Amino acid sequence: MGCGASKNGDSSQPAQGAASQDAPGTPKASGTVIVESSLLNRASQVNMNAVVDSGRKLADCAITLAFLRELSNEMDKKWTASDVVTNIIIPATKEKKCRFADLMMDKNVGSAQWFISYRWETNFRDLVSAIDRAVRIEAGMDPDNTRVWIDIFAVNQHASTAQQPDLQEVGGVIDQASRTLLVLDTSGSALTRLWCLWEVGRALLGGSGEPARLRVGLPPLEASLIEDLYVNIDAARAKTSEEVDRTRLLRDIKAAAGGLAGHTRSIKQGLVAAVQQEVVLLSKVKEQQLHPYIDSLHKCAVLEQLAGQYGEAEKHYREALELYMGSQDGKPGDLVEATVLINNLAVLLRLTGRFQESEQLSRTAVDMLTKVHGAEHVATAAAVAQLAVLLRDVGRLAEAEPLFMKALVAKRAMLGPRHHDCAATLNDLAVLYINQGRHPEAQELLDLALDICERSLGHNHPRTVKVVERLALCFKAMGKLEKAEPLFKRVLDTRTSVLGAGHSQTAAVMAHLAQLYAAHSRLEEAQVLFEGALAVQQSTLGPEHMETATTLNSMGLLLQAKGAREEARGLFMRALNIRKKVLGESHFQVGALYNNLAMLAESMGDLGEAEATFNKAMTILVPHDPLHEGGDTEGGAPSSQGSGAQQSKLARSVMLNYAGLLQQLGRLEEAQGLVD
């Protein structure tokens, strides 16, 4: 539906509900209503003198796609669905106070095959195009006679006693339809509306409960917007125009299996599965629809990356990039589009520890954008900043710092020194200074970035909150509990208020605050926060997500410090299995966990197990050059993101820990060899 349809209006205005509650206000008529147009006067399409069948079921008010297509072609191309209600639906049904579907000839109306979830502020032609595209790629679907259920045509749009019964039947329509299509516009804001989230959740959890029933009409969107939309899916914070709708819909969601958390998790999983299904369908016709297929691959990879499905994401990024590069002729616009794919793949490779290949791709993107735009362009500066982040994260700080400065100079010149994009680069450069131990310089940059963000974006904007979190981490690194704690609490309070206590980003700051408490021996407070963070991450991100693994590891260290060694071992093993599955057996973060397990075994007196586990850690970590392999900041395994002297600490700590064990075993010569 257009995200719900509740009663609010009079005989001359559309009922503000379903989708219309997403509209910022009452739609404006454009002068002459189209009811007198040739389209609506054709007896074959609409019968203005029809005898209204008040017994028609709501699920039987779906209209043919052919009718929709013809209607959209005759109207103003700028009209939204809300405009269609004002200019067509309300005038056509004013006399009889009926549904628009009640005026249609039988051949153009019937039982619902597709249920459409969308916002009324969606451009109507774009809406019809999205429906048409989705139907055409489905095997066995007739693009003309397929019947789609859209609330503006099916629900009585007049404030009357007839409307509420219609609304009560919407869930049954979703259950009956073989497909539910969620149509997003370029803002993606349907995912912020409670009616749309309820409808998608019903499609996934109601009826047959088959995820394959959901389809998503996703327009070209930047990866950052997709990430914002995906991360912030939350029915508890979603909007409705009518409080009565909000109360009823939230009651339904909470009563379903899994409650609010289960609903959010189901929708996120369903979105990924829906786009994956679109890739499968388009792959069968990719010769005829190459660019839609590439776009689908790209969007699918972005969502898979957000869901932690890194292997699938990489496969789809690479296929999209290969097809795209093979289909272009090197025009400037083509190169810019290619760099988006290249940069996104580079980020994924950085996340999974393939730093060398990530660097190669990042440099390729910088070179391509420099060729198209020049070195001082904002797009080029953004690519340079991404390359700097990569180099910083592998400890090549001497190379990263001048790149950050170059990106900052270009952004300031193009956008102005007080732009929030400049603040983002200041924020990233501050992390480099923190890693170098240059805390006063980092604090100065973060203070400036915070001032820019608070003034330009507001105190509660996600970018502002991120800077506050980095400033807290800076004070944490300096050992200043009294300054770090209130900042972490500010971030926690803001995220709890804005995102909710059950949000993954709220859990992340809970974990940071827990680490701060643990470092200052406030173990009971730390454990409460770790347990809360872990519960949220497991319910929202899943039990096998990398952030879940990080908290498991940190909590394992806490329990080890409290003497609960068996419990600690169980958490370490869970974290180890997640990292091995996601990152591979030889990743440095796997080696860091082997180090933690070896230290735990040694503390429990199982020296044989400790030696065997240290050897596993050594096999992974010691042959690697930490300058290029990165590091792990958890579990006493020092980060390789620091200065040159710090870059090898991860491998050195394992060797020193192993040497201590060998000394206990009386193998002094071997121990000395490791120390030397």
Side-chain angles (χ1 to χ4, degrees):
M1 226 168 39
C3 310
S6 64
K7 204 171 152 182
N8 179 26
D10 56 36
S11 60
S12 63
Q13 295 294 340
Q16 295 295 304
S20 76
Q21 61 180 300
D22 294 326
T26 303
K28 298 178 181 179
S30 299
T32 304
V33 293
I34 308 184
V35 169
E36 301 304 322
S37 74
S38 60
L39 174 63
L40 295 186
N41 277 318
R42 291 177 192 164
S44 62
Q45 301 289 340
V46 177
N47 183 359
M48 302 296 290
N49 298 313
V51 176
V52 175
D53 178 9
S54 59
R56 188 196 295 269
K57 293 182 179 179
L58 193 69
D60 293 333
C61 292
I63 59 179
T64 63
L65 187 50
F67 173 82
L68 263 186
R69 200 182 301 119
E70 191 170 356
L71 178 64
S72 96
N73 288 338
E74 292 213 6
M75 66 177 56
D76 189 318
K77 65 181 181 182
K78 295 181 180 179
W79 277 11
T80 64
S82 183
D83 293 325
V84 174
V85 173
T86 298
N87 293 316
I88 297 180
I89 307 295
I90 294 295
T93 59
K94 183 176 181 179
E95 181 180 345
K96 299 184 185 315
K97 298 292 191 295
C98 63
R99 307 159 174 161
F100 187 86
D102 291 332
L103 301 178
M104 299 186 66
M105 302 297 288
D106 287 345
K107 70 173 186 177
N108 289 318
V109 65
S111 60
Q113 294 172 288
W114 287 66
F115 179 94
I116 311 301
S117 182
Y118 69 106
R119 283 196 64 200
W120 272 21
E121 288 308 296
T122 303
N123 178 277
F124 190 74
R125 284 194 176 187
D126 290 345
L127 174 65
V128 174
S129 294
I131 298 170
D132 188 67
R133 176 179 180 271
V135 170
R136 286 181 185 277
I137 65 174
E138 292 278 344
M141 290 282 183
D142 182 341
D144 289 329
N145 294 314
T146 294
R147 295 179 300 279
V148 298
W149 194 97
I150 303 178
D151 63 327
I152 61 174
F153 300 104
V155 173
N156 191 316
Q157 294 302 322
H158 298 276
S160 67
T161 56
Q163 189 185 79
Q164 285 304 318
D166 279 355
L167 297 179
Q168 297 300 319
E169 292 183 42
V170 171
V173 179
I174 298 172
D175 294 345
Q176 175 178 313
S178 63
R179 299 284 186 272
T180 290
L181 175 66
L182 172 65
V183 179
L184 301 179
D185 59 17
T186 53
S187 72
S189 54
L191 289 173
T192 69
R193 306 302 303 189
L194 184 54
W195 267 105
C196 288
L197 294 181
W198 177 83
E199 290 159 2
V200 171
R202 179 71 180 237
L204 292 168
L205 300 176
S208 66
E210 298 174 5
R213 297 174 68 223
L214 180 66
R215 297 290 184 267
V216 180
L218 195 61
L221 298 173
E222 291 186 4
S224 59
L225 178 56
I226 294 177
E227 179 177 1
D228 285 345
L229 293 169
Y230 179 88
V231 168
N232 291 303
I233 290 172
D234 184 359
R237 295 184 300 108
K239 301 175 183 178
T240 60
S241 292
E242 298 298 322
E243 188 59 33
V244 65
D245 290 346
R246 178 177 182 80
T247 300
R248 178 170 69 84
L249 296 176
L250 285 177
R251 183 177 63 244
D252 287 352
I253 291 170
K254 291 175 181 177
L260 280 169
H263 181 266
T264 298
R265 185 167 58 252
S266 175
I267 289 178
K268 289 183 176 182
Q269 293 170 347
L271 289 175
V272 176
V275 180
Q276 288 173 330
Q277 179 65 17
E278 181 182 270
V279 167
V280 171
L281 293 171
L282 282 171
S283 68
K284 300 174 182 178
V285 292
K286 63 183 178 182
E287 290 78 10
Q288 296 80 32
Q289 299 194 47
L290 180 59
H291 287 285
Y293 178 59
I294 294 172
D295 181 59
S296 185
L297 284 169
H298 192 180
K299 291 180 293 191
C300 186
V302 171
L303 283 168
E304 287 166 338
Q305 181 175 328
L306 292 170
Q309 299 178 23
Y310 294 147
E312 289 299 304
E314 181 180 349
K315 179 181 72 174
H316 289 138
Y317 274 136
R318 291 190 184 280
E319 183 180 359
L321 185 58
E322 180 181 356
L323 289 172
Y324 192 87
M325 296 300 288
S327 67
Q328 304 305 312
D329 58 8
K331 295 183 292 185
D334 298 336
L335 293 175
V336 172
E337 290 297 322
T339 60
V340 175
L341 272 167
I342 291 170
N343 272 326
N344 289 345
L345 177 56
V347 170
L348 175 64
L349 294 174
R350 174 163 57 87
L351 288 174
T352 55
R354 267 85 55 80
F355 298 113
Q356 187 172 1
E357 187 178 0
S358 178
E359 179 185 348
Q360 291 172 348
L361 288 172
S362 292
R363 291 190 183 279
T364 297
V366 170
D367 290 343
M368 292 171 67
L369 287 168
T370 301
K371 178 180 178 182
V372 175
H373 294 306
E376 308 304 319
H377 194 274
V378 172
T380 309
V384 169
Q386 179 172 300
L387 175 59
V389 169
L390 170 67
L391 295 174
R392 180 199 69 192
D393 287 354
V394 298
R396 293 162 61 182
L397 306 188
E399 297 174 69
E401 185 174 359
L403 291 177
F404 276 130
M405 296 305 299
K406 179 179 179 181
L408 186 59
V409 168
K411 287 184 177 183
R412 282 173 165 169
M414 296 289 291
L415 303 172
R418 304 287 300 178
H419 195 276
H420 56 79
D421 273 357
C422 297
T425 302
L426 289 169
N427 195 8
D428 286 331
L429 179 57
V431 175
L432 182 147
Y433 289 163
I434 292 171
N435 291 336
Q436 288 180 317
R438 296 160 62 182
H439 299 124
E441 293 172 83
Q443 182 184 342
E444 182 179 356
L445 293 183
L446 290 168
D447 285 340
L448 176 57
L450 182 58
D451 183 62
I452 293 171
C453 288
E454 286 182 336
R455 290 175 183 271
S456 62
L457 301 173
H459 285 68
N460 293 334
H461 191 278
R463 291 196 182 192
T464 305
V465 176
K466 184 176 181 181
V467 176
V468 175
E469 187 175 26
R470 286 275 172 82
L471 188 56
L473 289 168
C474 179
F475 286 128
K476 176 175 175 279
M478 297 167 72
K480 295 185 177 181
L481 171 65
E482 73 285 356
K483 290 190 174 183
E485 184 178 9
L487 292 176
F488 277 132
K489 286 185 174 180
R490 172 183 166 182
V491 176
L492 182 58
D493 289 345
T494 302
R495 287 186 177 162
T496 301
S497 174
V498 175
L499 302 179
H503 196 280
S504 60
Q505 291 185 19
T506 306
V509 73
M510 290 173 67
H512 283 315
L513 185 55
Q515 290 168 354
L516 179 70
Y517 288 160
H520 289 80
S521 300
R522 294 165 61 175
L523 302 186
E524 296 304 324
E525 293 172 89
Q527 183 168 350
V528 170
L529 286 169
F530 274 136
E531 288 173 347
L534 185 60
V536 172
Q537 288 167 341
Q538 289 183 137
S539 67
T540 58
L541 302 174
E544 296 187 339
H545 195 277
M546 284 292 293
E547 288 187 32
T548 304
T550 296
T551 303
L552 286 168
N553 186 43
S554 296
M555 192 169 172
L557 292 165
L558 174 72
L559 293 176
Q560 183 179 353
K562 293 180 67 176
R565 295 187 177 93
E566 285 297 337
E567 294 177 62
R569 187 178 188 280
L571 297 182
F572 285 148
M573 288 303 301
R574 285 178 60 190
L576 176 66
N577 290 333
I578 293 170
R579 288 184 175 177
K580 286 166 68 175
K581 181 177 180 179
V582 174
L583 301 174
E585 298 274 351
S586 60
H587 195 276
F588 66 88
Q589 291 191 26
V590 173
L593 265 165
Y594 277 131
N595 178 63
N596 293 346
L597 281 163
M599 294 290 289
L600 178 63
E602 183 179 353
S603 72
M604 297 171 72
D606 192 346
L607 303 189
E609 176 66 20
E611 181 175 8
T613 309
F614 271 131
N615 278 323
K616 291 179 180 179
M618 293 275 288
T619 299
I620 293 170
L621 294 169
V622 174
H624 292 175
D625 176 5
L627 280 169
H628 301 287
E629 293 298 328
D632 192 331
T633 59
E634 305 163 9
S639 170
S640 68
Q641 299 176 7
S643 65
Q646 295 175 318
Q647 291 171 22
S648 60
K649 280 188 177 180
L650 179 58
R652 285 178 59 200
S653 68
V654 175
M655 290 190 287
L656 291 174
N657 292 338
Y658 189 19
L661 174 66
L662 292 175
Q663 287 178 339
Q664 288 189 60
L665 295 171
R667 292 153 60 180
L668 302 183
E669 187 174 341
E670 292 177 68
Q672 189 62 45
L674 288 175
V675 173
D676 293 340

